[in-house]
């Protein structure tokens, strides 16, 4: 007679997690990925299979979560898998301006949101040229003329590596839902409490417990007009690849 304890062994655990990971809802997948991360090499193997199965489609934050487990693992097979299958990361690093976004992807995969925020500002200035890089902030006209492809790349990196909580498109969605009312918008995303602006850097929350839309800190680009130009950019209302 089969020992009933055998049925609850590791292989059965893996299979009971693998099936809903491959076919379940995002909510189910979100719960399963950390469970697989706890199961050692067998769990990592399932996450690798999951990412390979989905690689032909645009990455979502679920893919990002699976990728982050592998990226932050010390397991040799995880490192080799990412090196061979996703050498540039999980989000295609498209740029019309020859900008390299690899460092931003690495920081976001490691969940170092504060450093990623600094790099985001640097890349935004880099897109506008040497003068903007030297001054370290942008004019609203420079934002208006920023490449839509590059903005989408930056935004997708934030979305995919933050469980969909952070990114320009998230901030835009919240802004529009509030009728573009800045006084309601700032506290909603945690940039202001009462009459007090959130102090940089220690007042901000640099992890996923932050309010939705909290990052990146594009307010550091200076002024409401600049931020309005960013949230109104054509990148969010059309697909620049078409």
């Amino acid at each position: 007679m089969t020992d009933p304890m055998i049925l609850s062994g590791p292989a059965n655990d893996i299979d009971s997690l693998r099936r809903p990971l491959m076919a379940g809802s995002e909510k189910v997948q979100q719960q399963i990925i950390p469970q697989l991360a706890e199961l050692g090499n067998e769990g990592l193997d399932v996450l690798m299979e999951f990412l390979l199965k989905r690689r032909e489609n645009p990455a979502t934050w679920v893919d990002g979560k699976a990728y982050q487990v592998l990226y932050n693992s010390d397991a040799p097979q995880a490192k080799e898998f990412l090196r061979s299958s996703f050498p540039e990361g999980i989000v295609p690093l498209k740029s019309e301006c020859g900008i390299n976004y690899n460092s931003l992807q690495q920081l976001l995969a490691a969940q170092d949101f504060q450093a990623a925020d600094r790099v985001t500002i640097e890349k935004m200035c880099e897109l506008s040229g040497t003068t903007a890089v030297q001054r370290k902030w942008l004019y609203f006209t420079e934002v208006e003329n920023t490449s839509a492809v590059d903005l989408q790349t930056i935004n997708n990196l934030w979305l995919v590596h933050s469980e969909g909580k952070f990114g320009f498109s998230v901030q835009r969605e919240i802004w529009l839902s509030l009728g573009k009312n800045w006084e309601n918008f700032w506290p909603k995303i945690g940039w202001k409490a009462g009459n007090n602006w959130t102090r940089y850097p220690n007042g901000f929350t640099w992890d996923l417990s932050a309010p939705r839309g909290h990052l990146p800190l594009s307010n550091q680009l200076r002024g409401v007009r600049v931020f309005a130009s960013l949230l109104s950019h054509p990148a969010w209302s059309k697909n620049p690849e078409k």
Side-chain angles (χ1 to χ4, degrees):
M1 185 174 176
T2 304
D3 185 341
M5 291 300 290
I6 293 176
L7 299 178
S8 61
N12 189 58
D13 287 347
I14 289 286
D15 194 49
S16 68
L17 294 173
R18 180 185 175 280
R19 279 177 280 123
L21 177 69
M22 298 299 174
S25 67
E26 285 189 347
K27 188 173 182 181
V28 169
Q29 292 167 332
Q30 183 180 19
Q31 295 168 341
I32 287 175
I33 289 169
Q35 293 179 53
L36 285 166
E38 297 294 320
L39 294 177
N41 290 342
E42 288 183 307
L44 296 179
D45 287 342
V46 174
L47 293 176
M48 289 185 243
E49 178 190 356
F50 175 70
L51 288 181
L52 281 178
K53 182 180 177 183
R54 293 162 61 96
R55 69 183 303 176
E56 297 306 316
N57 300 314
T60 70
W61 64 263
V62 173
D63 301 291
K65 199 168 178 65
Y67 176 87
Q68 286 158 19
V69 170
L70 297 170
Y71 184 87
N72 294 305
S73 168
D74 293 325
Q77 84 263 32
K79 292 184 181 300
E80 178 54 35
F81 169 78
L82 294 184
R83 190 161 42 243
S84 60
S85 299
F86 297 95
E88 281 200 330
I90 201 164
V91 176
L93 303 180
K94 298 176 182 177
S95 175
E96 286 186 327
C97 310
I99 306 293
N100 187 336
Y101 294 105
N102 193 47
S103 61
L104 180 57
Q105 175 128 271
Q106 290 177 345
L107 289 168
L108 287 168
Q111 303 285 272
D112 188 346
F113 291 121
Q114 186 170 357
D117 182 68
R118 288 196 300 269
V119 169
T120 296
I121 301 296
E122 290 169 6
K123 295 298 181 185
M124 293 280 289
C125 290
E126 200 175 331
L127 284 169
S128 293
T130 306
T131 306
V133 170
Q134 290 172 346
R135 93 168 85 88
K136 299 182 180 178
W137 50 273
L138 299 174
Y139 292 116
F140 76 92
T141 49
E142 291 171 326
V143 174
E144 289 173 350
N145 293 319
T146 297
S147 157
V149 168
D150 287 71
L151 275 184
Q152 286 198 341
T153 294
I154 294 170
N155 184 63
N156 288 339
L157 285 168
W158 278 95
L159 273 177
V160 167
H161 291 298
S162 69
E163 298 183 6
K165 288 191 74 170
F166 303 146
F168 303 136
S169 62
V170 178
Q171 293 168 339
R172 169 184 163 84
E173 179 192 322
I174 295 168
W175 181 59
L176 292 177
S177 75
L178 297 170
K180 303 183 181 180
N181 184 305
W182 295 107
E183 290 311 309
N184 292 336
F185 177 71
W186 305 129
K188 183 77 172 178
I189 64 171
W191 290 6
K192 196 174 185 181
N195 293 321
N196 299 315
W197 288 97
T198 303
R199 297 288 295 275
Y200 181 87
N202 296 333
F204 289 92
T205 304
W206 303 106
D207 58 49
L208 291 177
S209 70
R212 190 165 174 269
H214 191 61
L215 299 172
L217 300 185
S218 33
N219 65 327
Q220 303 238 50
L221 298 176
R222 301 227 177 165
V224 169
R225 196 169 186 186
V226 172
F227 199 23
S229 294
L230 178 60
L231 298 188
S232 303
H233 196 281
W236 320 127
S237 55
K238 70 175 184 178
N239 185 347
E241 296 173 37
K242 289 184 179 179

